[in-house]
């Protein structure tokens, strides 16, 4: 998806969920937004989330699982007519089918469900339909997927069709080649179709974050998703991990990359941990039907860890992406500056007592640097942190950045009452600086309140206060 207009799939999903609450007349108009591009029922809508009827549609090109539909006349949605292999189909149609089938096969080999059959809508098969249309004219929209099931009581799992740009023309999509844009768009949007087979109603942030993560798994060399890292918790750790706002839900694909690289067990060609999360979120009959952070916690528990511990390590690791991520040395992985930076010396041996109020699933950092005069090996730094109550899942970690390039990171042990403390070396002989990372790892929420967070819940632990200070001494 492109930054210009990436939200069409979730906008349509949200409209679908609101459908039953609309008056009958509005329902009829709303359903037109879900018309397939070969259905003239949606042709009269002048909106940014629907393409015009494909006049002069050619016969679809079908593979084992996918059918690609396209316009073959002078219509603006028609792909370039070049047919170098003389098979009767434009080369773009051939390339779309080959890419889509490859994407599908990769997800299936990795253990993911097949998108649900569509009841032979779009053609006379139960194959999954992909349409080519000039989506780029709508603010640079790469594509979208939409649901099909409009029964009176639709299940949580639904069939879907997808629409992507017909040629990814460089004037509309100046970044990457048309082939690369086609690849990452199908990886992302088709993963939405897969998600719909688990739970069409799942939390928006995790649907977008894992679809963006999937781009990295299938087409690692393209790195289109790097554009969103400026909105990830590497660069904006004060924005909640589960927020569906701005572009944070795209940027936080990096959280699932962190999990994938921490637990590298694979099923077929992809890391298994994200599959396990989707299985826990599945709303199919008899499935667990957990919401996003609930499912993540369960999967981490299965790996003898916890959400709180992992989130603290994630927040700390984001301070040094080059050591944390396989591609973390890339310029897009740029960590935020510390909230505070202080130099401690013989004459200034302590900091003021600071405080920081953190919302749920956010973090921040302060940096402490030894002055030149602290050359003796016996100089120590004591960091003291007064954390919020345990129920709000507070985390603090101290990381010592050595001049050798190594980093020594450890947790500050939580105390129910009073200040917790950590003592580390602080000699300029080997210490470059020390960072204190504090995090609010709370997942507690009152669900179903219509918010942009996990389970549409009202977080119970926002604005939790951390108090901290530091001092130096000789041991």
């Amino acid at each position: 998806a492109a930054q210009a207009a990436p939200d069409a799939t979730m906008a349509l999903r949200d409209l679908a969920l609101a459908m039953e609450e609309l008056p009958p007349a509005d329902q009829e108009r709303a359903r037109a937004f879900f018309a397939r591009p070969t259905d003239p029922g949606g042709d009269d809508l002048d909106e940014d989330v629907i393409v015009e009827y494909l006049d002069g549609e050619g016969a679809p090109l079908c593979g084992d699982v996918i059918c690609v539909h396209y316009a073959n006349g002078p219509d603006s949605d028609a792909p370039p007519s070049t047919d170098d292999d003389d098979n009767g189909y434009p080369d773009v149609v051939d390339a779309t089918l080959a890419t889509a089938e490859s994407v599908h096969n990769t997800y299936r080999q990795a253990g993911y469900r097949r998108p649900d059959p569509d009841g032979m809508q779009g053609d006379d098969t139960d194959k999954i339909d992909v349409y080519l249309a000039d989506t780029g004219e709508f603010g640079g929209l790469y594509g979208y997927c939409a649901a099909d099931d409009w029964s009176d009581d639709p299940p949580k799992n639904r069939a879907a069709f997808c629409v992507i740009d017909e040629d990814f023309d460089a004037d509309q999509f100046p970044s990457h080649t048309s082939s690369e844009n086609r690849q990452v768009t199908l990886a992302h949007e088709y993963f939405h179709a897969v998600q719909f087979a688990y739970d069409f109603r799942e939390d928006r942030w995790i649907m977008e974050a894992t679809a963006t993560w999937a781009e990295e798994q299938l087409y690692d060399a393209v790195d289109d998703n790097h554009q969103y890292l400026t909105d990830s918790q590497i660069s904006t750790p004060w924005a909640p991990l589960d927020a569906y706002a701005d572009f944070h839900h795209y940027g936080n694909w990096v959280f699932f990359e962190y999990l994938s690289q921490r637990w590298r067990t694979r099923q077929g060609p992809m890391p298994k941990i994200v599959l396990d999360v989707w299985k826990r979120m599945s709303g199919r009959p008899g499935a667990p039907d957990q919401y996003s952070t609930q499912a993540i916690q369960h999967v981490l528990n299965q790996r003898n860890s916890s959400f709180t511990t992992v989130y603290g390590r994630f927040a700390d690791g984001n301070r040094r992406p080059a050591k944390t991520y396989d591609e973390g040395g890339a310029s897009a992985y740029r960590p935020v500056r510390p909230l505070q930076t202080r130099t401690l010396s013989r004459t200034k041996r302590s900091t003021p007592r600071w405080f920081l109020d953190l919302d749920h699933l956010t973090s921040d950092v302060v940096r402490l640097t030894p002055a030149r005069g602290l050359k003796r090996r016996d100089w120590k730094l004591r960091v003291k942190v007064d954390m919020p109550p345990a129920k709000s899942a507070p985390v603090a970690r101290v990381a010592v950045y050595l001049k050798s390039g190594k980093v020594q990171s450890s947790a500050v042990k939580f105390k129910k009452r009073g200040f917790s403390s950590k003592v580390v070396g602080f000699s300029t002989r080997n210490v470059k600086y020390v960072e204190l990372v504090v995090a609010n790892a709370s997942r507690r929420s009152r669900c179903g309140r219509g918010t942009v967070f996990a389970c549409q819940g009202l977080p119970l632990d926002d604005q939790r206060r951390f108090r901290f200070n530091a001092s130096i001494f000789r041991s």
Side-chain angles (χ1 to χ4, degrees):
Q3 278 216 12
D7 288 307
T9 297
M10 287 297 100
L12 288 169
R13 194 290 298 265
D14 291 349
L15 179 60
L17 294 180
M19 187 81 72
E20 59 191 33
E21 300 176 7
L22 298 175
D26 290 340
Q27 285 191 24
E28 182 177 356
R29 176 171 172 76
R31 286 179 189 244
F33 281 90
F34 300 92
R36 291 168 177 249
T38 49
D39 178 0
D43 194 37
D44 294 331
L45 287 173
D46 183 17
E47 300 287 349
D48 285 354
V49 293
I50 195 163
V51 296
E52 296 179 355
Y53 176 56
L54 297 183
D55 295 324
E57 184 201 7
L61 176 63
C62 295
D64 294 336
V65 183
I66 312 286
C67 282
V68 178
H69 304 254
Y70 66 102
N72 65 357
D75 188 280
S76 63
D77 289 302
S81 60
T82 304
D83 181 18
D84 286 341
D85 61 0
D86 293 323
N87 70 342
Y89 291 95
D91 293 338
V92 168
V93 177
D94 293 328
T96 300
L97 178 62
T99 303
E101 294 260 331
S102 176
V103 167
H104 170 89
N105 290 336
T106 300
Y107 291 152
R108 292 292 290 142
Q109 291 165 14
Y112 288 93
R113 297 190 65 89
R114 177 196 189 278
D116 283 352
D118 63 8
M120 294 186 284
Q121 297 188 64
D123 53 59
D124 59 357
T125 73
D126 251 344
K127 294 183 178 181
I128 300 141
D129 297 302
V130 175
Y131 297 85
L132 299 181
D134 188 12
T135 59
E137 69 173 321
F138 300 113
L141 178 66
Y142 283 29
Y144 65 89
C145 287
D148 265 326
D149 190 343
W150 299 110
S151 59
D152 290 337
D153 186 22
K156 285 194 171 184
N157 54 287
R158 295 199 194 181
F161 67 90
C162 297
V163 184
I164 69 168
D165 195 77
E166 89 287 10
D167 61 358
F168 292 100
D169 182 82
D171 290 339
Q172 293 175 331
F173 305 96
S175 299
H176 310 294
T177 68
S178 59
S179 176
E180 290 171 335
N181 284 326
R182 184 178 302 110
Q183 289 172 339
V184 295
T185 300
L186 282 168
H188 185 111
E189 297 302 337
Y190 198 83
F191 200 72
H192 282 315
V194 171
Q195 292 168 348
F196 290 179
Y198 286 93
D199 191 346
F200 181 69
R201 299 172 179 264
E202 193 44 70
D203 293 332
R204 289 176 290 180
W205 82 273
I206 200 169
M207 295 183 87
E208 289 295 4
T210 55
T212 310
W213 165 85
E215 298 176 31
E216 187 79 0
Q217 300 304 312
L218 270 66
Y219 299 106
D220 181 35
V222 179
D223 288 337
D224 183 68
N225 55 1
H226 283 197
Q227 66 179 302
Y228 300 116
L229 289 174
T230 55
D231 292 286
S232 74
Q233 290 213 325
I234 294 176
S235 299
T236 58
W238 51 81
L241 177 70
D242 63 340
Y244 183 85
D246 299 322
F247 292 97
H248 299 304
H249 43 282
Y250 294 98
N252 284 329
W253 68 268
V254 77
F255 176 71
F256 296 98
E257 188 70 1
Y258 178 84
L259 298 183
S260 300
Q261 293 180 17
R262 171 63 181 81
W263 287 278
R264 292 180 179 268
T265 300
R266 302 177 78 84
Q267 178 154 334
M270 296 176 70
K272 187 174 183 292
I273 189 166
V274 177
L275 171 65
D276 290 347
V277 172
W278 271 102
K279 287 180 176 179
R280 297 301 305 179
M281 293 190 296
S282 176
R284 301 183 77 91
D289 198 17
Q290 295 180 324
Y291 60 83
S292 57
T293 54
Q294 191 180 41
I296 295 169
Q297 166 75 338
H298 183 95
V299 168
L300 293 177
N301 285 348
Q302 290 179 323
R303 288 161 171 78
N304 298 315
S305 190
S306 70
F307 196 114
T308 300
T309 298
V310 169
Y311 185 74
R313 291 179 177 273
F314 168 68
D316 180 38
N318 284 340
R319 298 298 306 145
R320 45 189 181 278
K323 294 181 179 295
T324 301
Y325 301 97
D326 291 348
E327 296 183 354
S331 60
Y333 287 80
R334 186 175 303 165
V336 69
R337 291 181 179 180
L339 174 70
Q340 295 278 355
T341 300
R342 290 286 188 273
T343 298
L344 296 180
S345 65
R346 290 175 178 269
T347 58
K348 190 173 183 180
R349 297 195 177 199
S350 63
T351 68
R353 182 171 294 183
W354 293 317
F355 70 87
L356 179 62
D357 295 331
L358 290 178
D359 287 341
H360 75 287
L361 297 182
T362 65
S363 67
D364 221 323
V365 60
V366 297
R367 179 179 293 177
L368 303 160
T369 304
R372 291 182 180 179
L374 306 185
K375 293 182 178 180
R376 291 179 62 104
R377 295 184 185 275
D378 58 355
W379 280 107
K380 304 292 183 182
L381 172 72
R382 177 181 286 113
V383 178
K384 298 173 68 177
V385 188
D386 187 15
M387 301 190 214
K391 63 183 179 182
S392 60
V395 185
R397 295 188 67 86
V398 172
V400 181
Y401 289 75
L402 301 176
K403 289 183 176 179
S404 66
K406 294 182 179 180
V407 180
Q408 298 171 343
S409 177
S410 57
V412 179
K413 189 175 181 181
F414 176 80
K415 287 185 179 180
K416 291 183 178 180
R417 295 180 181 177
F419 280 81
S420 302
S421 65
K422 190 80 176 180
V423 175
V424 295
F426 206 58
S427 168
T428 57
R429 288 177 179 269
N430 59 351
V431 175
K432 186 176 180 182
Y433 56 82
V434 174
E435 289 192 342
L436 168 67
V437 175
V438 292
N440 178 344
S442 173
R443 301 174 294 107
R444 299 196 315 141
S445 182
R446 292 192 181 97
C447 292
R449 300 302 178 95
T451 71
V452 298
F453 304 118
C455 73
Q456 297 184 46
L458 183 66
L460 297 179
D461 293 307
D462 280 351
Q463 291 296 290
R464 292 297 185 182
R465 177 159 292 189
F466 291 75
R467 297 177 178 87
F468 47 91
N469 70 289
S471 60
I472 59 173
F473 63 96
R474 288 174 57 187
S475 59

